[in-house]
Amino acid sequence: MAYPAQLGFQDAASPIMEELVYFHDHTLMIVFLISSLVLYIISLMLTTELTHTSTMDAQEVETVWTILPAVILILIALPSLRILYMMDEITTPSLTLKTMGHQWYWSYEYTDYENLCFDSYMTPPLELDPGELRLLEVDNRVVLPTEMSIRMLISSEDVLHSWTVPSLGVKTDAIPGRLNQATLMTSRPGIYYGQCSEICGANHSFMPIVLELVPLKHFEEWLLSTL
């Protein structure tokens, strides 16, 4: 999860989020190089008195500053499209979790099992145990297995919501009357926090998401204790 004064992303916990972080660093380096070049040219123009009149009408210069931006855009677009298709790719899921947004809580249903559904409300600050996080803890966590493809079916009962977990690179809108789908897979166990990322009313800030990712063995034990 995020910590105070953090400037970068949260630690990636899924292959998709790792790719997004790599793409961010790749694009940031290109932007840094362009900014440095522009700053150097501006400083050069302000500090030197030398001019070269023949470069003002040179075809070579116009060719370079037309082709170079096109090449840079291609270097950004190709990895971006690759990640976009990776995020939209739907593999055969090992588990399906249906998520419904409400004002102002989430409800979850494990559709592969009978009668396994619950609501998840934010824990009030006065009921928090030592070590729990204010405005991020819930009364019922979502328990999921690691290293398995999980299909998320996301919708809403009332207004627009957005089911978002930054560490996993997942952000999917919950729209009334529409069922959106996302694929979730984690590379390591842990507890991952998220929040609704769509302004949905007065208590928009008070509907957090908590995922508890555990190995398959512990997930099966949790199922046996719940069913």
Side-chain angles (χ1 to χ4, degrees):
M1 62 167 292
Y3 55 85
Q6 179 175 346
L7 297 179
F9 291 105
Q10 298 182 24
D11 292 338
S14 69
I16 293 295
M17 189 58 191
E18 290 178 0
E19 293 289 338
L20 289 173
V21 172
Y22 293 150
F23 175 67
H24 169 268
D25 296 341
H26 166 75
T27 308
L28 191 63
M29 183 56 64
I30 294 176
V31 172
F32 176 75
L33 293 175
I34 294 174
S35 302
S36 301
L37 178 62
V38 171
L39 182 62
Y40 171 73
I41 294 175
I42 291 175
S43 61
L44 201 64
M45 293 176 63
L46 294 176
T47 56
T48 183
E49 297 179 356
L50 299 176
T51 58
H52 199 300
T53 56
S54 62
T55 60
M56 304 302 294
D57 298 322
Q59 295 292 330
E60 294 82 3
V61 176
E62 294 183 2
T63 302
V64 169
W65 72 38
T66 301
I67 294 178
L68 189 59
V71 173
I72 293 174
L73 289 176
I74 292 174
L75 292 176
I76 295 175
L78 290 181
S80 174
L81 290 173
R82 172 177 169 270
I83 297 175
L84 186 63
Y85 278 100
M86 287 176 60
M87 294 177 68
D88 287 339
E89 182 180 2
I90 304 298
T91 58
T92 302
S94 303
L95 181 69
T96 300
L97 178 65
K98 183 178 179 182
T99 303
M100 298 293 292
H102 307 266
Q103 288 183 311
W104 287 272
Y105 64 96
W106 298 98
S107 61
Y108 299 96
E109 179 183 355
Y110 293 76
T111 58
D112 299 294
Y113 306 94
E114 292 186 4
N115 301 323
L116 183 52
C117 54
F118 53 84
D119 297 330
S120 181
Y121 290 86
M122 185 194 76
T123 303
L126 295 178
E127 298 179 10
L128 290 173
D129 295 328
E132 292 185 338
L133 302 171
R134 177 179 173 270
L135 302 182
L136 286 177
E137 200 58 62
V138 296
D139 55 355
N140 291 311
R141 293 178 174 177
V142 177
V143 180
L144 294 172
T146 59
E147 299 180 344
M148 296 180 66
S149 178
I150 301 168
R151 176 172 56 189
M152 301 293 303
L153 301 177
I154 301 169
S155 186
S156 173
E157 285 281 357
D158 36 52
V159 299
L160 289 176
H161 300 280
S162 186
W163 198 83
T164 305
V165 183
S167 295
L168 305 181
V170 178
K171 182 181 185 299
T172 305
D173 289 339
I175 303 172
R178 178 173 177 174
L179 199 62
N180 286 331
Q181 181 171 293
T183 301
L184 181 70
M185 186 174 69
T186 57
S187 53
R188 64 175 188 269
I191 299 175
Y192 304 101
Y193 295 89
Q195 288 178 303
C196 176
S197 296
E198 188 73 38
I199 297 177
C200 55
N203 292 332
H204 157 69
S205 302
F206 307 117
M207 46 186 306
I209 302 162
V210 182
L211 302 183
E212 186 173 344
L213 280 303
V214 298
L216 180 59
K217 177 182 177 181
H218 298 290
F219 176 72
E220 293 174 345
E221 294 174 354
W222 176 81
L223 282 178
L224 292 176
S225 65
T226 304
L227 295 175

